[in-house]
Amino acid sequence: MNLAVLLGGEAPEVAPMLLGAVLTRIDDGTAVLLSEVEAYTEDDPASHSHRGPSPRNQSMFGEPGTLYVYRSYGIHWCANVVTNRRGVGEAVLLRGGSVVAGEDLAISRRGRPDHLADGPGKLCQAMGITGVHDGSNVLEGPFRLEPGIPPRHISTERIGISRARERRWRFVAVEEADPAR
DNA sequence: GAGCCGATATTCT
DNA sequence: GAATATCGGCTCC
């Protein structure tokens, strides 16, 4: 599946397709295999784009593939990949994954050897994603997204929000069946 | 492992 | 002033 075509779709449909994809940072070699994502759309009361463009969320309305990076709780950075066409505020929050390249750098950034990218803020810290990357595009760089084979996954309620909880737009890769079981 | 809490940018009321 | 798309350190099992 062509990435540009994929990202032109609607966020709730694109999100599960990004499971198994690898986000690579070209300029330092770090890469994360995505295992957890969430979809947000414009008519979604829980989405930052719900009330229209603002200085913070403008990149969420950009071209598909745009990175929307925002500061969460005043401390952490969180990254989304924008979907759908320009002018539509849809994106997929990169909620977690596992570091598959550049592990040493990820460990030094995180300051610990474990839990490198098992949360949206941690994923950004491990890859060095900050506000300066807001508005860059995964079709260009310095971040590249390579679709993989989507693993088995389940959808659940999203995390950390209070509105529109009934939209089960959190997609989590299911661990491969344990051979010992 | 579960539960509480503090840090604090940005938006909304 | 309150809420939030979080995290890490702490306590107490």
Side-chain angles (χ1 to χ4, degrees):
Chain A
M1 176 77 135
N2 178 282
L3 180 61
V5 173
L6 172 66
L7 294 177
E10 297 183 2
E13 296 179 3
V14 175
M17 301 293 291
L18 294 185
L19 294 175
V22 175
L23 182 68
T24 300
R25 180 168 179 170
I26 304 297
D27 56 350
D28 70 10
T30 54
V32 165
L33 174 69
L34 301 177
S35 61
E36 188 174 338
V37 297
E38 281 179 2
Y40 288 89
T41 65
E42 209 166 312
D43 71 346
D44 172 5
S47 171
H48 290 170
S49 61
H50 185 56
R51 293 177 186 78
S54 74
R56 175 172 72 149
N57 69 14
Q58 58 173 335
S59 58
M60 201 168 167
F61 294 82
E63 300 290 338
T66 299
L67 280 182
Y68 164 46
V69 183
Y70 69 94
R71 205 184 267 285
S72 174
Y73 290 87
I75 302 171
H76 310 286
W77 294 105
C78 293
N80 300 245
V81 175
V82 174
T83 66
N84 212 315
R85 58 183 192 282
R86 182 177 193 80
V88 179
E90 289 190 12
V92 176
L93 170 66
L94 307 183
R95 198 155 226 305
S98 52
V99 174
V100 292
E103 197 171 35
D104 291 346
L105 188 51
I107 290 172
S108 74
R109 281 185 178 134
R110 292 277 297 119
R112 56 187 297 166
D114 55 352
H115 297 285
L116 295 178
D118 58 344
K122 301 180 215 181
L123 187 154
C124 285
Q125 190 180 9
M127 296 192 72
I129 300 175
T130 69
V132 305
H133 303 114
D134 182 46
S136 68
N137 195 301
V138 297
L139 298 173
E140 297 161 5
F143 295 91
R144 294 291 182 89
L145 190 61
E146 298 185 29
I149 307 296
R152 258 164 46 81
H153 64 271
I154 57 174
S155 62
T156 74
E157 288 185 351
R158 290 173 293 181
I159 300 286
I161 61 171
S162 55
R163 292 183 290 232
R165 295 281 305 276
E166 73 283 0
R167 300 190 189 197
R168 300 172 73 86
W169 285 350
R170 173 177 177 243
F171 302 93
V172 189
V174 178
E175 300 293 328
E176 287 302 321
D178 187 341
R181 198 139 39 111

